[in-house]
Amino acid sequence: MSINRSTLLFTALLAAAACGRGEKKGELDSTAFALNPPADSQAVVSPQELQPAPAPAPAPAPPPAATPRPRPTPPPATQPPPAPPRAVVGTEIVSNSSVEITTRKNKAGETFTAKIAEPIMDGGREVIPAGATVTFRIVASKEAENKNSEGQLAIEAVNIAFGDKTYPVNAEISDMQYQLKGRGVTAGDAGKVAAGAAIGAVVGQILTKKSSGTVVGGAVGAAAGTAIAIKSADKDIVIPAGSRIVMKLKEPFVRS
């Protein structure tokens, strides 16, 4: 069967038109695919987006913790110091005169010393050591000019000194050894030592014989309560060196 040239030309034109339409359709489908990719397809990213994200800057190191200052150790609790040793009212203090005192030579206002014979203790603590110095003051001193006149001697305690310190003392003389020496006699003829107890003594009490002397309790004048007074007729009153003198505290004695 024979085909004429006009038929072939028409057929070719139809084919060309169909191809043109197919290309446009393919382009549209491709565009649609690009705009609406399938769900299981991978997204296309740019090279810049493929660069790894920069690492975050390291956080600044925290400042070093301040070293706590050590708390000062509190001092150990201290016990209050013990009360200083003391001798109570009524304590007797025995001393021995360092010098001789006589109404013939010594006058009122003069002082003399004596040494503590025995330590004074407060429990196991020493208040006054043996050998401490006591100062006495002569309150009254009057010699007996004749047998009709009276000699008189009175002393009082002033202070006690030891360890480079001096302590006032308020005490009364409770006992004292003394002698009565007649005029013009030798030392061997001197009267016997007499011990006078002032505490509770009655004024005018005769201790031995009339010529031996009188101890007057309560002392003399301004020294009332602190001194012992001895009276004698026609004899000198003598406190020999080394004589025992006892005083009794009227106020506590506190050692500092």
Side-chain angles (χ1 to χ4, degrees):
M1 183 169 92
S2 61
I3 300 174
N4 59 23
R5 294 179 64 180
S6 59
T7 301
L8 291 173
L9 179 62
F10 180 76
T11 302
L13 290 172
L14 288 176
C19 289
R21 289 195 302 271
E23 289 178 357
K24 291 180 179 180
K25 185 178 180 180
E27 290 176 2
L28 291 175
D29 292 342
S30 170
T31 302
F33 178 80
L35 292 177
N36 298 289
D40 59 348
S41 66
Q42 294 183 352
V44 179
V45 294
S46 65
Q48 290 80 5
E49 293 177 332
L50 293 177
Q51 294 295 329
T67 303
R69 294 183 179 179
R71 294 183 178 180
T73 304
T78 56
Q79 298 295 329
R86 63 172 54 204
V88 298
V89 174
T91 300
E92 287 193 337
I93 302 173
V94 180
S95 63
N96 298 108
S97 177
S98 302
V99 296
E100 180 183 87
I101 300 297
T102 173
T103 54
R104 192 166 188 176
K105 297 179 181 179
N106 301 101
K107 306 300 180 183
E110 295 180 10
T111 60
F112 68 97
T113 61
K115 295 294 184 181
I116 299 293
E118 303 169 359
I120 305 301
M121 306 297 292
D122 178 10
R125 300 183 298 172
E126 186 178 69
V127 183
I128 304 174
T133 300
V134 185
T135 297
F136 292 99
R137 179 186 294 114
I138 300 175
V139 178
S141 178
K142 178 183 177 182
E143 62 178 324
E145 297 177 352
N146 53 62
K147 65 180 181 180
N148 296 320
S149 65
E150 289 185 336
Q152 188 179 60
L153 179 63
I155 66 172
E156 66 175 346
V158 178
N159 57 52
I160 299 176
F162 58 90
D164 298 328
K165 289 186 178 182
T166 301
Y167 301 86
V169 60
N170 183 2
E172 57 187 358
I173 310 302
S174 59
D175 189 28
M176 181 168 63
Q177 290 179 319
Y178 65 93
Q179 293 178 350
L180 298 178
K181 289 187 178 180
R183 300 298 175 80
V185 298
T186 63
D189 295 329
K192 295 180 180 180
V193 174
I199 302 300
V202 179
V203 174
Q205 176 183 0
I206 303 299
L207 297 182
T208 55
K209 295 182 180 180
K210 182 178 180 179
S211 61
S212 297
T214 302
V215 175
V216 181
V220 179
T226 63
I228 183 171
I230 304 168
K231 293 184 178 181
S232 69
D234 198 24
K235 291 183 183 293
D236 292 325
I237 303 169
V238 180
I239 301 175
S243 294
R244 182 173 181 265
I245 303 174
V246 183
M247 58 183 174
K248 183 176 289 188
L249 292 177
K250 297 183 67 178
E251 292 183 1
F253 182 95
V254 181
R255 178 173 182 171
S256 61

